[in-house]
Amino acid sequence: MAFLGLEVGKSEPGYRLKRLAAFLVDTIIVLAVVYIVFRFTGKPDFPAVKAAMDAAKEGAGGPNSQALANEMFNLFNTAYGQTLMIWFLYEVVCQVVFFGATPGKLMLGLRITSMNPNRKWPLHYLLMAVRSAIKFASLYIFQGFPFLIAVLSIFANKEARAGYDIFAKTYVKNIRGEKLRENIYQFPVNE
């Protein structure tokens, strides 16, 4: 089976849909966090971006149209960068607190796991942070295009791993039906 010219690898039924749903749950949570941060700090200031966009639209074709457009883009880039930083911090903190998962992943029974079962936890947590950094750097620097390619790679390999998973040597594991202790600690526990 092919998707956008990519051969779709075999994976557990519904796995890719679960990953998308987890992403959407986390997106909703992050938007709520961004709103709360805005109410307390005034940043990221998307209302100012909207006002600058309206001013640029009204002044289109006028002598200051380029300056108004530049101001709008500067305000947007600042607000966008602040939003991505909030999302990055949310993801990294949640992955540490929830042992390799975010609330969206937990709700859907998913967890980020190392491809190497012998990887020690400090290195694994560092690589999860690197995984997140790659994801958000591509969203910031290239305005999402490489992120789209990384996400589409979920369809191209049999493990359904995104590009940033491949780089960090991780995968998102379906943990439904496993023992809670194995879910939480993920690493072999000596008894």
Side-chain angles (χ1 to χ4, degrees), residues 88 92 95-96 119-133 168 170:
F88 171 74
V92 169
Q95 288 172 357
V96 170
R119 184 186 286 172
K120 302 294 184 205
W121 68 267
L123 178 59
H124 182 60
Y125 284 0
L126 175 66
L127 286 174
M128 282 192 304
V130 168
R131 173 189 184 273
S132 296
T170 60

Side-chain angles (χ1 to χ4, degrees), residues 52 55-56 64-75:
N64 293 334
S65 63
Q66 187 62 48
L68 291 170
N70 288 344
E71 178 65 18
M72 179 200 59
F73 286 120
N74 286 337
L75 287 171

